[in-house]
Amino acid sequence: MFHVENYSGQKEKDFELVIKQLQALTADEPNTIANLANASSLLNQFLAEINWVGFYLTDEAKNQLVLGPFQGLPACVRIPFGRGVCGTAAAEQKTLRVKDVHEFPGHIACDSASQSEIVVPIIKDGKTIGVLDIDSPIKNRFDEQDEKYLNQFVDVLVQML
């Protein structure tokens, strides 16, 4: 599959291709879990230097996130809104790009190998319905381009929800 390179022109083209692949995978499939499973697999194959990629879905009754489809080692099952990187991104409804997870207040360490993280909230009709969470064993792995295109990736998912 494609791996993001360090030079921006190719990185943009690669991200645009993976977003088109996501659109093709989700176009005729109404099942959310199936689409999120394929989306996590697609990102796992596409992104270099990551050790976990997946989704947490909102449990409104308990005001927390619950583990959804993912690729990687077993993960934390429930994360309260406002706690850790995922819970904070969900509560604040903004993408968080963390260069060093050990410096993030209240970081929840599901995998001790994770050094950096990006979390993109999935927002529909003003409500956080989940988050896309990606971890890397390398500090400062995610940059502004990753953030831009992962937000676009999530926008495609929101359209099918």
Side-chain angles (χ1 to χ4, degrees), residues 15-16 18-23 26 32 35-36 39-40 42-43 46-47 53-57 89-90 93-96 118-125 127-134 145-161:
F15 262 118
E16 288 168 2
V18 83
I19 289 169
K20 285 179 183 175
Q21 289 175 326
L22 177 65
Q23 290 168 327
T26 61
T32 299
N35 285 331
L36 294 179
S40 64
L42 185 62
L43 286 175
F46 168 69
L47 294 169
V53 56
F55 297 92
Y56 281 91
L57 303 173
Q93 294 191 328
K94 72 176 191 178
T95 298
L96 294 180
I118 187 166
V119 178
V120 181
I122 304 169
I123 301 166
K124 184 165 184 159
D125 300 326
K127 289 185 171 186
T128 302
I129 57 175
V131 299
L132 165 61
D133 179 25
I134 306 173
Q145 278 192 308
D146 293 310
E147 183 174 341
K148 173 185 172 183
Y149 286 105
L150 289 169
N151 275 289
Q152 289 178 18
F153 188 90
V154 165
D155 289 344
V156 171
L157 292 172
V158 169
Q159 293 170 18
M160 64 91 190
L161 296 173

Side-chain angles (χ1 to χ4, degrees), residues 74-86:
C76 303
V77 175
R78 295 186 176 269
I79 300 173
F81 267 55
R83 184 155 177 251
V85 182
C86 288

Side-chain angles (χ1 to χ4, degrees), residues 40-114:
S40 64
S41 178
L42 185 62
L43 286 175
N44 191 53
Q45 293 300 310
F46 168 69
L47 294 169
E49 301 175 322
I50 65 166
N51 59 320
W52 200 93
V53 56
F55 297 92
Y56 281 91
L57 303 173
T58 300
D59 179 343
E60 285 186 46
K62 296 188 178 181
N63 199 36
Q64 59 187 210
L65 297 166
V66 180
L67 183 64
F70 71 94
Q71 302 278 311
L73 293 176
C76 303
V77 175
R78 295 186 176 269
I79 300 173
F81 267 55
R83 184 155 177 251
V85 182
C86 288
T88 301
E92 295 180 2
Q93 294 191 328
K94 72 176 191 178
T95 298
L96 294 180
R97 190 166 27 106
V98 180
K99 294 177 182 182
D100 182 347
V101 295
H102 304 292
E103 294 179 3
F104 190 88
H107 174 253
I108 301 168
C110 294
D111 181 349
S112 61
S114 295

